[in-house]
Amino acid sequence: MRGFLTVVHLTLHEALRRRVLLAALVCGMAFLLLDGLGLRAVVRDLQQNPGMPLLQRRMLLSMFVLAGLFAVNFLSVMTAVLLPVDTLSGEIASGVMQTLASKPVRRGEILLGKWAAYVVLVGGYLLLLAGGVLVEARLLARVTPPHLLSGLSLMTLEGLLIVTLVIAGGTRLGTVTTGVVVLGLHGLAFIGNWVEQIGTLAGNDAARSIGTVASLVMPSEAMWQLAASRMQPPLMRELHVSPFSPASVPSPAMVAWAAGYAVVVLLIALRLFRRRPL
Amino acid sequence: MAGPVIEALGLSKRFGAKTAVAELSLEVRAGEVFGFLGPNGAGKTTSLKMLLGLIEPTAGAGRVLGAPLGDRRARARIGFLPEHFRFQEWLTGRELLWFHGRLFGLGGVRLAARIDELLARVDLLDAAHRRLREYSKGMLQRIGLAQALLAGPALVFLDEPTSGLDPLGRLMVRDIIGELRRDGVAVFLNSHLLGEVEATCDRVVFLKEGRTVHELALAGSAAAALTVELRLGPHDGGLLEGLQRFGRDAVEAEGWVQVTVEGEESLPALVRWLIARGVDLYELRARRKSLETWFLEVMGEDQRPG
């Protein structure tokens, strides 16, 4: 436990000192500024058109907030890949890991310490940006999406899943290869989701099945789809009037699959790292 | 501890079809400075990593500080300075030692005092607040040495510890190794710098293509042997035979007679014997075989680069 906590501390310390987290925060703040200015412009425009029905007005604002959360999700996915991508592979390649692993700590403590620290960092980053979007929505448009807790939890699970895959990749693969593989898997899930949505709208079972299989292979995008579905008014969801209103909503079983997926990948990572020649 | 601090029995490591280390067997005792010599690619670092538990042997067994290889509790009493020591360059020297101390299970006032003591020992107190990215190669090597000594180890593995150090830095490392020996700490030294090894080690093992090919006690009789070269006046054919009583391999070539004696204590008797025989002695040269000569002889001409 002592080794685990020390590695968590070391990893957090490193992230705070390195420019990559600072760059992510600066980009995030720029995004929040842009999002706030855009929302303010939309709200002013709506105020100048009092003839628009209240329901339509609410749906427009909800769509804007979901667009903001979609951007937060995208930034968080990128941060979850880029922030920890060299933490294992880079230290193994440079020889830093030899010094750590020769200390009286289990290799599992090193891996879990790094994993936990990056989950905290990515989760914190996501909640900071999502919180910014939600505060702006509340203050500027008096809009609060429903089911925030479950929606944000699903987005956090997506980030956790990606961090876990990146850490697992680093036990065996190089830095660039790990990044390419994890982003490739997420891209597969993203495209698979669109195939599923189009297949559902067109009534094409084969296309829908392809999307489901893609989500099983990489359940990250399914978590965003489920989160987006929860965090929008029911009518908007039923009418499919926005790109964030999926025609095919992942089942709750997909959440269990994603959580189990992360646990299994983490266990595999622990096993691989324990036997990794350093 | 009473037994050896390192015992290796037939340790082997293969990477695919390549054998990096073949049936390595050795013992290192407490308080002994042990040198591990061999050309590049001989398997020195792989052997060291197996003893540290960083890589698993393909075959064989070993014990370090009485525990199986890689044992976590044994690692608490082991210091390790890897070749080309690297650590997160965004840390300061003091932070580096603090994190490593925490990994050793140290903390509080005891760790702070130990860090100050070691920073002073490796002459880095003034640079303790600077980030490692600002350190020179020699300073990194010294801070690496300090981290290896943090826990007051019973065994220290040093992989090329003087690489990148200037002469004063090398002298400091030599002094530290001497202090460790006096404190009963065993030192396992990997080095290419044969002069350093000769100055610090009690015993060396030569590794060639993954196999141990020779062992030499530097304080022992083989290492103490002298090659004596004599420039003599006219003498009879029985001289070479007579010189064999003082040593071995007596030969004559190009006006010089050469004989190998066990130690310098043989020299006065040899000179007296020559004078008593009426042989004029114009010049006598006695030289001990350097570790470099041993190395070249043991490794053979085929190991010379090019």
Side-chain angles (χ1 to χ4, degrees), chain A residues 49-197:
Chain A
N49 292 287
M52 183 183 280
L54 183 64
L55 189 63
Q56 193 180 346
R57 184 184 299 233
R58 302 301 293 178
M59 287 222 274
L60 191 65
L61 289 171
S62 293
M63 199 192 309
F64 195 98
V65 175
L66 274 176
L69 290 173
F70 174 76
V72 168
N73 191 64
F74 173 77
L75 286 172
S76 300
V77 166
M78 297 309 289
T79 305
V81 174
L82 297 177
L83 197 59
V85 73
D86 70 339
T87 190
L88 279 179
S89 52
E91 291 189 0
I92 290 170
S94 70
V96 167
M97 191 55 72
Q98 292 173 19
T99 326
L100 285 179
S102 62
K103 297 290 184 296
V105 290
R106 294 182 181 90
R107 288 199 188 182
E109 290 181 285
I110 297 174
L111 186 136
L112 286 175
K114 286 178 173 288
W115 174 81
Y118 283 112
V119 166
V120 167
L121 286 166
V122 170
Y125 181 75
L126 188 152
L127 293 177
L128 181 72
L129 291 196
V133 167
L134 295 171
V135 167
E136 285 175 351
R138 185 70 211 158
L139 294 178
L140 298 172
R142 307 229 174 269
V143 170
T144 301
H147 305 297
L148 271 182
L149 185 63
S150 65
L152 292 178
S153 300
L154 287 164
M155 289 168 73
T156 308
L157 178 58
E158 182 183 2
L160 179 147
L161 190 64
I162 289 174
V163 168
T164 309
L165 272 170
V166 169
I167 294 283
T171 61
R172 286 284 159 172
L173 306 174
T175 301
V176 175
T177 312
T178 300
V180 167
V181 167
V182 178
L183 282 175
L185 279 172
H186 186 68
L188 180 86
F190 184 81
I191 293 299
N193 170 66
W194 278 102
V195 171
E196 185 177 352
Q197 301 304 326

Side-chain angles (χ1 to χ4, degrees), chain B residues 81-199:
Chain B
L81 173 65
E83 187 179 9
H84 311 305
F85 174 73
R86 286 266 182 81
F87 208 72
Q88 281 88 343
E89 58 181 20
W90 40 268
L91 287 174
T92 67
R94 188 179 291 280
E95 285 171 340
L96 169 84
L97 295 183
W98 187 85
F99 276 115
H100 277 275
R102 295 293 300 146
L103 291 171
F104 270 120
L106 306 173
V109 178
R110 190 179 154 214
L111 177 57
R114 181 70 176 148
I115 288 171
D116 281 337
E117 180 191 341
L118 285 168
L119 283 170
R121 186 66 193 87
V122 297
D123 200 19
L124 283 174
L125 258 182
D126 292 341
H129 63 284
R130 282 164 55 189
R131 295 198 183 178
L132 297 184
R133 72 165 66 100
E134 298 168 22
Y135 277 29
S136 67
K137 195 176 173 191
M139 289 165 83
L140 281 174
Q141 203 68 358
R142 283 186 278 148
I143 199 79
L145 187 60
Q147 69 79 30
L149 304 177
L150 266 168
L155 168 64
V156 181
F157 288 92
L158 303 176
D159 199 356
E160 303 290 351
T162 49
S163 159
L165 292 181
D166 57 23
L168 287 174
R170 286 180 191 178
L171 201 60
M172 187 196 70
V173 171
R174 202 184 292 177
D175 288 346
I176 289 176
I177 290 175
E179 287 166 16
L180 291 170
R181 179 199 276 124
R182 280 196 295 280
D183 293 342
V185 177
V187 178
F188 189 103
L189 182 68
N190 257 6
S191 180
H192 281 109
L193 298 172
L194 298 177
E196 293 300 319
V197 174
E198 201 164 17

